[in-house]
């Protein structure tokens, strides 16, 4: 009779994860090395330099206005339809869904929640840092600019840095960050760089962002990718916590279903005299090491010292009434009633 409950889809997912609870050895977790810290410091300096150049209305702001007056969407109108579709690769919703689907498959194949958790942490950092900078500096975009030559800062806008560009850097760059091999990491890094560069230039072409917005968006997204190794311990603890909550939830679900009748499994009988009916099955070679119980009749497999000198049935040899077992007193011989 089958007593196991039918597994749900969620049960099968976690059962798949439990087949290999440890991360495969060939998947290395990036560390915050000196080279990475140097890149992070250089990118942060570039980020601050862009902000400072816009704040003081330097040559960068004048370049922004020159590009805006150039109106690229009027210079090359034949690519306008393509750019309208291409810029979707930098939108938060569609890219997050596509990348999450791929990383979900990676989590299934690698038996770890780290890819999805790393994506969640990176998107959370993106929303916090880029969102705070956007609303903190409040710069207006090219279509809403009021004063020619002005930096349009603190005017109630939300355009600086470019969210499309930063999102493209993070969502496509996380694939390179989670790559399994150095070769795959190099190819994915190049691919994410090309995609994010194209998304940034597309926003400039459409006139939705200043050129300096795109430069700051690239720096903001790269800072998040470079800072991810600092959050790896948090990702590991979150994975352990999620699996622990899963185990507790399964344990609570199992309480109303006590094991009333165990599944019938054929079990070899335990040796006589063991005193335990549920004792684990032992190898049959271990049984002859014990002496036969005293209440059993002597058989052909008892030790030589315990054999009783009984004449076997059908033997031509006359019985030996004078013989008696060792270590025993001779039995009283019955009187012959002549």
């Amino acid at each position: 009779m089958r007593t196991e409950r039918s597994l749900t889809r969620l049960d099968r997912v976690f059962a798949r994860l439990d087949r290999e609870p440890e991360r495969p050895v060939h998947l290395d977790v990036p560390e915050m090395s000196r080279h990475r810290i140097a890149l992070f410091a250089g990118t942060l300096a570039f980020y601050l330099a862009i902000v400072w150049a816009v704040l003081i209305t330097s040559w960068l702001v004048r370049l922004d206005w020159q590009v805006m007056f150039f109106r690229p969407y009027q210079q090359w109108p034949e690519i306008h339809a393509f750019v309208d579709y291409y810029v979707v690769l930098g939108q938060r919703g569609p890219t997050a869904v596509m990348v999450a689907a791929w990383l979900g498959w990676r989590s299934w194949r690698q038996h770890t929640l780290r890819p999805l958790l790393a994506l969640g942490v990176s998107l959370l950092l993106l929303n916090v840092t880029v969102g705070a900078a956007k609303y903190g500096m409040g710069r207006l975009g090219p279509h809403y600019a009021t004063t020619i030559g002005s930096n349009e800062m603190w005017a109630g806008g939300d355009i600086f840095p470019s969210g499309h560009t930063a999102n493209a850097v993070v969502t496509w760059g996380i694939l390179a960050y989670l790559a399994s091999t150095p070769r795959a990491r190099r190819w994915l890094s190049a691919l994410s760089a090309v995609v994010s560069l194209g998304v940034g230039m597309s926003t400039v072409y459409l006139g939705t962002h200043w050129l300096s917005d795109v430069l700051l968006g690239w720096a903001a997204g790269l800072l998040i990718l470079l800072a991810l190794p600092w959050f790896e311990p948090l990702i590991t603890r979150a994975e352990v916590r999620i699996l622990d909550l899963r185990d507790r939830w399964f344990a609570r679900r199992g309480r109303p279903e006590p094991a009333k009748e165990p599944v019938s499994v054929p079990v070899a009988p335990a040796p006589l005299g063991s005193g335990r009916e549920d004792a684990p099955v032992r190898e049959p070679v271990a049984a002859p090491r014990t002496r036969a119980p005293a209440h059993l009749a002597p058989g052909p497999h008892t030790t030589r010292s315990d054999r009783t000198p009984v004449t076997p049935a059908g033997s031509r040899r006359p019985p030996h009434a004078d013989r008696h077992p060792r270590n025993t007193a001779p039995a009283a011989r019955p009187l012959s009633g002549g």
Side-chain angles (χ1 to χ4, degrees), residues 72 97 106 146 170 182 192 222 253:
V97 171
R106 287 277 305 275
T146 57
V170 171
S192 62
L222 187 57
R253 287 182 59 187

Side-chain angles (χ1 to χ4, degrees), residues 22-95:
E22 296 182 359
R23 187 178 295 109
V25 294
H26 67 280
L27 297 179
D28 56 334
V29 178
E31 298 179 355
M32 207 63 185
S33 59
R34 294 182 179 180
H35 179 69
R36 201 178 190 92
I37 293 176
L39 288 177
F40 182 86
T43 307
L44 181 60
F46 178 76
Y47 184 98
L48 297 176
I50 296 297
V51 174
W52 178 253
V54 172
L55 288 177
I56 64 175
T57 315
S58 65
W59 61 269
L60 185 57
V61 176
R62 293 193 297 271
L63 180 62
D64 288 339
W65 281 97
Q66 291 174 3
V67 173
M68 193 271 286
F69 285 132
F70 182 70
R71 291 180 175 85
Y73 59 90
Q74 293 181 355
Q75 301 295 329
W76 303 286
E78 61 275 5
I79 64 173
H80 197 289
F82 170 77
V83 174
D84 278 339
Y85 286 103
Y86 185 84
V87 79
V88 176
L89 294 177
Q91 290 184 1
R92 188 75 47 84
T95 56

Side-chain angles (χ1 to χ4, degrees), residues 115-129:
L116 290 176
L117 292 176
L119 175 64
V121 169
S122 62
L123 293 180
L124 180 61
L125 291 175
L126 180 66
N127 291 333
V128 172
T129 57

Side-chain angles (χ1 to χ4, degrees), residues 18 55 88 94 133 143 152 159 178 187 201 204 209 216 235 259 269 273 309-310 320 328:
D18 283 340
L55 288 177
V88 176
H143 293 320
E152 301 295 332
I159 210 72
L178 297 171
W187 280 102
M201 290 294 98
V204 175
H209 279 287
L216 197 65
I235 293 173
V310 179
H320 298 276
T328 58

